[in-house]
Amino acid sequence: MKFTVKPQIHKMTFYIIIPFLIGQIIYAVINPFGHDEQTLAATSLIVAIIVLIKAMMSIFSPWFHRVTVDNNLINQSTELGGDITLDIYQLDLQRSNNDDGGLLLINNEGQKLELSGRLFKESDLKKIANHIDAVLAKKI
């Protein structure tokens, strides 16, 4: 069985871009350095550039953070072009975790794959967890 799970763009936007914008608004209202217009304009420009870059990254995040499950292999592409591949049969079930925060998979060699509930749909994480359970049940 092969399937792919992608993060949701609106969650990427909410959890990455909104904190920058709120921080800028708070900084403009409660400016700890006084209300120097040049400093406020410079920080506003820096925050605008960061928000623009993060917005572009969040648009392409479904391709950067895509998780592919192929039988007993779980593979995630990273932002920097790397791959994290875990074998379900090699998972350390004592250290791996599935909770409200997301799905944390750790293999016997200590390699980690963390799928945050803040980025992925809960149903997608359950689908991966159910697939892991099914594959391990077939092994026994």
Side-chain angles (χ1 to χ4, degrees):
M1 178 177 191
K2 183 175 183 174
F3 60 92
T4 301
V5 176
K6 296 180 183 178
Q8 297 177 312
I9 293 176
H10 70 279
K11 287 187 175 185
M12 288 291 296
T13 304
F14 181 76
Y15 288 112
I16 293 175
I17 294 175
I18 299 300
F20 277 105
L21 294 176
I22 290 173
Q24 177 59 31
I25 292 169
I26 291 172
Y27 179 76
V29 173
I30 308 170
N31 191 341
F33 304 111
H35 287 287
D36 178 21
E37 290 182 20
Q38 291 176 337
T39 306
L40 185 60
T43 56
S44 297
L45 178 64
I46 291 170
V47 168
I49 291 170
I50 291 172
V51 166
L52 181 64
I53 291 169
K54 291 291 188 179
M56 290 172 48
M57 288 174 64
S58 70
I59 289 172
F60 295 108
S61 68
W63 292 278
F64 292 143
H65 296 282
R66 173 182 65 224
V67 176
T68 304
V69 179
D70 186 11
N71 294 326
N72 64 320
L73 297 176
I74 301 174
N75 182 308
Q76 182 181 29
S77 302
T78 64
E79 291 177 340
L80 302 175
D83 281 332
I84 300 172
T85 302
L86 297 179
D87 188 348
I88 293 175
Y89 298 126
Q90 302 279 321
L91 287 178
D92 184 353
L93 299 177
Q94 306 293 326
R95 295 173 30 202
S96 296
N97 190 7
N98 183 13
D99 58 11
D100 292 337
L103 185 62
L104 173 65
L105 303 173
I106 303 173
N107 68 4
N108 294 330
E109 299 169 356
Q111 190 177 22
K112 292 182 183 181
L113 177 61
E114 188 171 351
L115 306 174
S116 174
R118 292 174 34 180
L119 301 179
F120 293 93
K121 283 196 291 189
E122 187 176 327
S123 61
D124 289 340
L125 295 178
K126 284 183 182 179
K127 184 177 181 180
I128 293 172
N130 290 338
H131 179 75
I132 291 170
D133 290 340
V135 168
L136 291 176
K138 287 180 185 178
K139 181 182 177 185
I140 298 174

